Amino acid sequence: MKEKIYGIRELSELAGVSARTLRYYDEIGLLKPLYTEASGYRFYGEREADLLWQILFYRDRGLELKQIGNILYEKDFDIVKALEEQLSQLQEERARLDALIRTVAKTIQSKKGEYEMSDQEKFAALKERAVRENEERYGEELRERYKAETIEESNRKLLDMTQENWERFHSLEEEIRQRLKESVLKGFSPESPEAGQLVRLHREWLSMTWPSYSAKAHEGVASMYVCDERFRAYYDRETPGCAAFLEQAVRYWAGRLEKET
């Protein structure tokens, strides 16, 4: 079968990107055309079209173009395997969104008195709302720092929590806030044993939703607490200085505690 050849306009319309974007990808070496006519008009084959789908998928997942290029042009990169993995991820995401849609629809019906939700459904709705609100508030910033797959796995861990773990998750959150407030008001040092215990609790709280824990990632999250106004406002809403104290304590203790385990 003769290979399908796309002009730059055809491919741009098919993929939903501008011709200017395709020219830019050519300039930086991310997506070279199959050939270019003497007039400068670019043409793309089926392989280039497949690579473009990969680029758009990874870009949608928050990866930078340089990172995408490193993935696509690795020696052992397998397009079919990559597409299969992406299909699996998209199917999982669709299943999660379908479940979220059903839960929200039932919640609306319940509020209108048209449907009585079971305790299990109410608990599921509570978790779904927590994920949705977190995505709306911090999703973009988190995806700039971490892989989209990591964020999705974190969301899944939260959605899969038992009620007992859910209650522990929120009791930890409240205990951390109270200990932070006490540490700042009493003038504790970020290097104090009290601060070390606070970091242990914060690590436990993060680990309940993180796919895996690392001190480096812990320090990265803590830095957001002082760099991002929304995070800082959350921790400082009762007692100013709590966000800075937590960041300093994590920076001092996270690596030390990791070595102990």
Side-chain angles (χ1 to χ4, degrees), residues 186-223:
K186 291 187 175 181
F188 290 152
S189 166
E191 300 176 9
S192 66
E194 291 82 2
Q197 180 57 25
L198 175 63
V199 174
R200 284 188 179 89
L201 293 173
H202 196 256
R203 179 180 64 181
E204 180 185 350
W205 180 71
L206 290 173
S207 297
M208 292 187 75
T209 57
W210 280 11
S212 61
Y213 173 85
S214 75
K216 183 177 180 181
H218 196 172
E219 291 168 8
V221 165
S223 71

Side-chain angles (χ1 to χ4, degrees), residues 28-40:
I28 64 174
L30 183 61
L31 181 65
K32 289 289 185 181
L34 179 62
Y35 63 89
T36 304
E37 289 187 336
S39 62

Side-chain angles (χ1 to χ4, degrees), residues 3-243:
E3 180 180 6
K4 172 66 176 176
I5 302 297
Y6 303 92
I8 190 169
R9 293 191 184 281
E10 287 180 285
L11 187 59
S12 68
E13 291 174 1
L14 185 65
V17 298
S18 67
R20 181 179 180 182
T21 295
L22 293 178
R23 287 192 290 269
Y24 176 65
Y25 288 169
D26 181 10
E27 290 170 9
I28 64 174
L30 183 61
L31 181 65
K32 289 289 185 181
L34 179 62
Y35 63 89
T36 304
E37 289 187 336
S39 62
Y41 197 80
R42 297 165 172 84
F43 288 89
Y44 299 82
E46 294 173 1
R47 180 179 181 277
E48 288 72 33
D50 286 343
L51 285 172
L52 179 57
W53 310 143
Q54 298 290 321
I55 292 168
L56 297 179
F57 177 85
Y58 289 125
R59 191 181 68 179
D60 186 59
R61 312 307 278 185
L63 272 68
E64 296 179 356
L65 295 181
K66 184 177 180 180
Q67 293 174 297
I68 295 172
N70 290 338
I71 294 171
L72 295 184
Y73 298 108
E74 285 181 351
K75 183 179 179 181
D76 299 324
F77 180 71
D78 185 330
I79 288 182
V80 174
K81 183 179 178 181
L83 285 169
E84 290 173 343
E85 290 174 351
Q86 290 167 16
L87 177 61
S88 177
Q89 290 176 23
L90 290 170
Q91 288 171 333
E92 289 180 10
E93 187 173 342
R94 182 176 66 181
R96 184 180 69 80
L97 288 173
D98 286 344
L100 175 59
I101 289 169
R102 289 192 298 270
T103 300
V104 172
K106 286 180 179 179
T107 303
I108 293 172
Q109 289 179 304
S110 176
K111 295 295 183 183
K112 290 181 176 180
E114 299 171 355
Y115 177 81
E116 185 175 348
M117 295 181 72
S118 67
D119 289 340
Q120 185 177 7
E121 287 173 329
K122 289 177 182 177
F123 179 51
L126 191 65
K127 293 187 291 185
E128 292 281 4
R129 186 178 67 184
V131 169
R132 187 171 69 253
E133 290 177 348
N134 190 64
E135 283 285 351
E136 290 171 354
R137 291 175 184 171
Y138 312 118
E140 184 176 348
E141 287 78 7
L142 291 173
R143 280 173 169 75
E144 287 178 358
R145 287 176 171 262
Y146 307 102
K147 292 181 179 179
E149 291 85 349
T150 301
I151 306 302
E152 293 299 330
E153 177 61 25
S154 178
N155 288 339
R156 280 193 291 271
K157 284 192 71 173
L158 192 149
L159 292 171
D160 290 342
M161 276 187 188
T162 63
Q163 189 155 354
E164 180 181 359
N165 285 341
W166 177 262
E167 291 171 357
R168 174 59 178 165
F169 183 67
H170 284 281
S171 67
L172 270 173
E173 185 177 22
E174 183 58 29
E175 183 177 358
I176 289 166
R177 289 184 60 247
Q178 291 301 320
R179 283 178 178 261
L180 262 177
K181 180 179 178 181
E182 179 182 345
S183 296
V184 172
L185 292 176
K186 291 187 175 181
F188 290 152
S189 166
E191 300 176 9
S192 66
E194 291 82 2
Q197 180 57 25
L198 175 63
V199 174
R200 284 188 179 89
L201 293 173
H202 196 256
R203 179 180 64 181
E204 180 185 350
W205 180 71
L206 290 173
S207 297
M208 292 187 75
T209 57
W210 280 11
S212 61
Y213 173 85
S214 75
K216 183 177 180 181
H218 196 172
E219 291 168 8
V221 165
S223 71
M224 292 177 64
Y225 297 161
V226 292
C227 295
D228 190 297
E229 178 60 36
R230 291 165 300 173
F231 286 104
R232 188 165 63 248
Y234 169 79
Y235 284 106
D236 287 358
R237 62 186 177 187
E238 293 183 7
T239 307
C242 286

